[in-house]
Amino acid sequence: MAKGKTFKRPEALRDCPTHYCPGCTHGVIHRLVAEVIDELGVRGRTVGIAPVGCAVLAYNYFNCDFQEAAHGRAPAMATGIKRVRPDLMVFTYQGDGDLASIGMGEIVHAANRGEKFTTIFVNNAIYGMTGGQMAPTTMPGQRTSTSPFGRDAAQVGMPIRVAELLASLQTPAYIARQTVIKPKYIARARKAIHKAFSYQLANRCFSLVEIVSTCPTNWGMTPLDAVEWTEKTLLAYYPPGEIKTPEAAEER
Amino acid sequence: MGKILMKGNEAIGEAAIRAGCTNYFAYPITPQSEVAEYLARRLPEVGGVFLQGESEVAVSYMIFGASACGERVFTTSSSPGISLMSEGISYIAAAQCPAVFVNIMRGGPGLGGILPSQGDYFQATKGGGHGDYRLLVLAPASVQEAAEMVMQAFSLAEKYRNPVMILGDGLIGQMMEPVAFPEHLATPPVNKDDWATNGMANRGSQRPNLVKTLYLDPEQLNAHNLTLRAKYQRMRQEEVRFEPYNTEVDYQVLIVSFGTMSRVCRTAIDNLKAQGREVAMIRPQTLFPYPEAAVREAAAKASCRVVLSVEMNMGQMVEDVERSVRGQRPVEWFGKCGGEVPTPEEVMEAVRGLLAR
Amino acid sequence: MAYLHTIDRERCKGCGLCVAVCPKDVLELDREANTKGYFPAHQARPQDCIFCAMCGVMCPDVAIRIEEVQDESAA
């Protein structure tokens, strides 16, 4: 009996090409979310909320109800849905410009209210859709189209660690950070996403998984160089791990 | 159906519940915070949803999310708050979602003041947000009318799948008047399974619903705008409402005025009539669609020499009056703002001044 | 049970991530471009494939599939 595994597209992901650039790990994250939706059997009552950014077109790639938010406002839309229809499973899928720049107010207050939806926060340290501008998570010295000489912390401050920022709130929540740049990390990211959705399914708490992701095109790197730079530079500043769980919060 | 003496803000909150809308998201702002305070107590009694958002911006998207998944929902705010909600309102109109927004206007621009004004006429009727969208705008002149308009707004919003705005002012919000909530104005919500994101399994469908406003293809976006435009044309044909006053006599001046300002004008008209001077009034109840024909016909009366738009702002509706009258008669404006409410004597003085010319 | 490993030539964008993660160095980028102008990955040494699915897990475009097929000897 030959040993081996099957592998196929999850049902919650449509069988169509995506617009993402070659090597962009948005595609991996989409698949993991879809796999978790399938596993939990909730596709029929899931509503995803797309951001403004590269992932706005996520609504073409998922096989469940979707809404498209204004830039940064997905957590408010998710709040609106969960409050009037708590039976629906809701997730927002947001980039770093969307969540940590214009949408910072919304994500902080949704997390602090303990809204019971799940946020997939894709941190690739740059604005992708608009062509590579500096994001709140852009690294010191990292060149972008609006930090052409490298991000200068003396001028625009240090990159924001969103997971830790949100974890500092007193309301119980599940907050983790992972990455998807290599299979071993992908397995952990999948587990974190599964846990996040499970907390929502149990109506337990707000959940957010920050996923450090690549942007080969706007970083000006090949997909493989982008993986190495992420591992060497981004993960050093954005350490993966389980930052906060509702159990830990409640023990205090 | 007995009448209750109620503060306008509270009547607006109760009216929504009576109309079958028990989902309310809002942010405090004078002069309408009492709506939220009332509903914070009242909605739990009826198993409804009350949430104070972190900003009016966020609130407008809580409204959008709730509406897009098929639930009735509304919010109330005041002038600066409505400015912050304007992007969300543009999105909701673009996404063709029903929702009700109540603006209890205060003095502007900027932080302005907290006393009543009508300074958001342009914002409400010419689009406060971006793009070619319109709002169905209802302008109540009393607490009773505000309650009725709120109750009607939900079915209107669903009929057109478009946001509806109730444009009141600080007076309507703050004063107490007897009010009743006519049951016949409460209509059950329509089925929204063909577009709402209420869960595929819940509507037994294999086709996901998508509520979005992005159209990168110019032909599609143009076609989408034509779809929206057709709705606004239909509003123009089916939803115009106005109230004539003293138009059956031969009047020399036609006043056009809405909301609480029209009540002051009514007193001025009565006083002038007692002094042998005939003045008539058209009171628009819908500001969009605007009652152009009614204003035009009333201005065309042989005896009428001049049309006067009386507003608690620096002259906004006067432009629509001019557009309606089409040069048949001179059109003038009179008004005060900042929270100053013109008195009947001041309106009478303005009328006399016009006729003395 | 036997397995069939397939790469959708047209869906693949030639990013090379699968090639890098394959533990058995089975995959290479093709010299022939697909209709979109990408040089898709393909199994250069299929006999070395152990069907571990690492490539599928890594692929951002879900262009790789591994299915169970009837064992040839049993058929």
Side-chain angles (χ1 to χ4, degrees):
Chain A
M1 238 287 278
K3 211 160 59 56
K5 292 184 198 147
T6 60
F7 189 85
K8 66 178 174 53
R9 180 180 52 79
E11 208 187 339
L13 204 62
R14 289 203 184 128
D15 185 4
C16 64
T18 72
H19 72 294
Y20 297 118
C21 305
C24 166
T25 44
H26 263 307
V28 178
I29 301 165
H30 280 33
R31 195 192 71 242
L32 296 182
V33 172
E35 284 171 357
V36 167
I37 289 172
D38 281 3
E39 234 168 84
L40 297 176
V42 290
R43 185 165 71 90
R45 60 188 177 100
T46 295
V47 184
I49 302 178
V52 165
C54 288
V56 60
L57 295 181
Y59 62 64
N60 286 331
Y61 308 138
F62 281 96
N63 217 344
C64 62
D65 281 355
F66 242 80
Q67 296 180 4
E68 173 214 281
H71 199 24
R73 314 309 176 194
M77 292 184 74
T79 299
I81 302 172
K82 280 303 276 197
R83 290 284 170 148
V84 301
R85 287 293 301 272
D87 57 303
L88 294 175
M89 289 285 289
V90 180
F91 71 96
T92 76
Y93 187 105
Q94 301 176 254
D96 39 39
D98 190 271
L99 180 137
S101 194
I102 188 171
M104 183 62 91
E106 276 75 10
I107 194 65
V108 166
H109 282 283
N112 196 58
R113 287 191 301 263
E115 300 292 346
K116 306 221 172 19
F117 62 82
T118 301
T119 287
I120 304 300
F121 166 45
V122 179
N123 172 9
N124 58 10
I126 203 155
Y127 279 69
M129 164 76 84
T130 41
Q133 293 78 18
M134 183 179 74
T137 49
T138 293
M139 293 299 287
Q142 183 181 344
R143 290 175 191 277
T144 72
S145 62
T146 51
S147 61
F149 314 111
R151 177 181 187 143
D152 176 357
Q155 295 295 325
V156 294
M158 290 294 284
I160 297 173
R161 288 192 177 114
V162 169
E164 287 80 354
L165 182 82
L166 295 177
S168 73
L169 297 170
Q170 296 308 297
T171 309
Y174 174 74
I175 296 184
R177 174 187 296 119
Q178 295 295 344
T179 183
V180 285
I181 53 171
K182 287 180 179 171
K184 63 177 181 182
Y185 297 119
I186 292 173
R188 293 176 208 149
R190 192 179 191 291
K191 213 156 76 59
I193 293 170
H194 190 281
K195 220 172 164 182
F197 273 80
S198 302
Y199 277 121
Q200 176 175 174
L201 196 54
N203 206 28
R204 183 72 190 285
C205 62
F206 170 75
S207 50
L208 175 139
V209 182
E210 175 179 345
I211 302 180
V212 182
S213 188
T214 63
C215 183
T217 298
N218 287 305
W219 291 355
M221 300 173 193
T222 67
L224 285 174
D225 292 344
V227 163
E228 295 319 316
W229 186 72
T230 302
E231 194 161 37
K232 184 166 56 62
T233 306
L234 288 188
L235 294 190
Y237 189 83
Y238 300 110
E242 219 163 52
I243 319 283
K244 178 178 180 180
T245 64
E247 295 79 10
E250 268 139 18
E251 270 146 29
R252 263 199 319 283
Chain B
M1 182 178 52
K3 291 218 167 196
I4 320 163
L5 189 62
M6 254 181 135
K7 183 169 236 187
N9 281 330
E10 295 187 352
I12 285 165
E14 185 60 28
I17 293 173
R18 300 294 184 91
C21 171
T22 56
N23 299 313
Y24 176 76
F25 299 86
Y27 188 84
I29 181 167
T30 305
Q32 60 79 58
S33 301
E34 292 85 351
V35 185
E37 290 163 350
Y38 177 78
L39 290 178
R41 294 193 307 274
R42 182 78 172 100
L43 278 171
E45 290 171 6
V46 295
V49 167
F50 168 86
L51 185 67
Q52 177 178 316
E54 62 270 26
S55 74
E56 288 95 342
V57 174
V59 162
S60 65
Y61 289 100
M62 293 174 190
I63 295 288
F64 187 10
S67 171
C69 76
E71 297 301 313
R72 270 188 176 173
V73 63
F74 92 115
T75 187
T76 63
S77 186
S78 175
S79 309
I82 298 293
S83 290
L84 290 174
M85 292 186 178
S86 294
E87 184 204 44
I89 290 172
S90 168
Y91 272 76
I92 293 167
Q96 300 196 78
C97 288
V100 174
F101 290 81
V102 179
N103 179 3
I104 301 298
M105 289 183 280
R106 59 187 265 174
L111 193 54
I114 58 169
L115 294 178
S117 130
Q118 296 184 323
D120 305 345
Y121 179 90
F122 282 157
Q123 178 188 54
T125 60
K126 311 297 177 190
H130 59 288
D132 285 286
Y133 74 93
R134 307 304 287 263
L135 296 179
L136 184 56
V137 182
L138 305 171
S142 67
V143 170
Q144 179 63 43
E145 192 173 38
E148 288 177 11
M149 284 179 170
V150 165
M151 292 184 77
Q152 293 159 336
F154 294 97
S155 47
L156 283 168
E158 281 165 5
K159 172 179 176 184
Y160 290 98
R161 282 184 57 188
N162 199 77
V164 171
M165 177 170 282
I166 311 289
L167 197 61
D169 59 55
L171 280 168
I172 288 181
Q174 290 298 324
M175 66 182 163
M176 294 183 80
E177 286 187 318
V179 62
F181 303 95
E183 264 105 28
H184 71 276
L185 293 179
T187 52
V190 300
N191 182 298
K192 298 164 184 152
D193 282 356
D194 56 350
W195 58 267
T197 61
N198 49 18
M200 293 159 65
N202 296 326
R203 52 178 190 274
S205 159
Q206 278 310 316
R207 187 180 59 80
N209 278 343
L210 167 61
V211 174
K212 68 150 178 119
T213 59
L214 177 67
Y215 294 86
L216 290 173
D217 176 331
E219 272 168 29
Q220 281 181 11
L221 186 52
N222 186 58
H224 181 60
N225 270 278
L226 291 172
T227 305
L228 301 181
R229 189 171 187 280
K231 293 195 296 185
Y232 306 136
Q233 296 304 87
R234 186 176 166 209
M235 286 178 192
R236 287 191 167 100
Q237 278 132 28
E238 296 180 18
E239 305 302 337
V240 171
R241 283 192 348 220
F242 63 91
E243 185 184 41
Y245 187 70
N246 200 37
T247 51
E248 60 292 351
V249 302
D250 286 344
Y251 46 85
Q252 292 181 304
V253 177
L254 172 68
I255 286 177
V256 184
S257 187
F258 72 95
T260 42
M261 188 67 243
S262 65
R263 293 171 69 160
V264 173
C265 295
R266 190 190 282 254
T267 306
I269 290 169
D270 295 346
N271 295 348
L272 285 166
K273 185 192 266 294
Q275 299 168 2
R277 172 93 52 210
E278 291 296 4
V279 174
M281 178 167 69
I282 294 289
R283 174 174 78 91
Q285 293 168 291
T286 54
L287 300 182
F288 184 88
Y290 194 74
E292 290 144 18
V295 170
R296 185 162 48 253
E297 281 141 30
K301 191 157 195 174
S303 61
C304 181
R305 289 173 45 200
V306 62
V307 181
L308 180 63
S309 175
V310 184
E311 313 170 58
M312 291 196 300
N313 57 43
M314 289 292 102
Q316 294 184 33
M317 186 178 68
V318 61
E319 295 190 4
D320 278 335
V321 175
E322 276 164 349
R323 199 166 49 79
S324 307
V325 171
R326 294 184 184 154
Q328 293 175 83
R329 294 286 184 275
V331 175
E332 303 290 341
W333 157 83
F334 171 70
K336 298 169 85 171
C337 72
E340 295 260 15
V341 180
T343 64
E345 290 67 32
E346 285 168 330
V347 173
M348 292 164 70
E349 203 34 51
V351 167
R352 286 196 202 92
L354 282 177
L355 292 175
R357 279 199 201 141
Chain C
M1 190 55 70
Y3 294 93
L4 175 64
H5 179 290
T6 51
I7 298 181
D8 180 336
R9 261 185 70 77
E10 287 310 312
R11 185 67 55 82
C12 172
K13 295 173 182 164
C15 72
L17 292 181
C18 61
V19 175
V21 302
C22 173
K24 297 298 180 186
D25 192 22
V26 170
L27 304 170
E28 277 176 12
L29 294 187
D30 203 329
R31 274 182 195 68
E32 289 296 316
N34 67 13
T35 54
K36 292 195 178 128
Y38 295 123
F39 297 95
H42 76 284
Q43 287 201 314
R45 290 161 290 281
Q47 65 284 2
D48 298 341
C49 177
I50 59 170
F51 307 104
C52 66
M54 282 303 118
C55 54
V57 164
M58 187 67 246
C59 175
D61 292 281
V62 204
I64 297 172
R65 238 151 64 101
I66 301 174
E67 301 157 274
E68 285 175 26
V69 290
Q70 277 309 324
D71 199 327
E72 289 80 37
S73 52

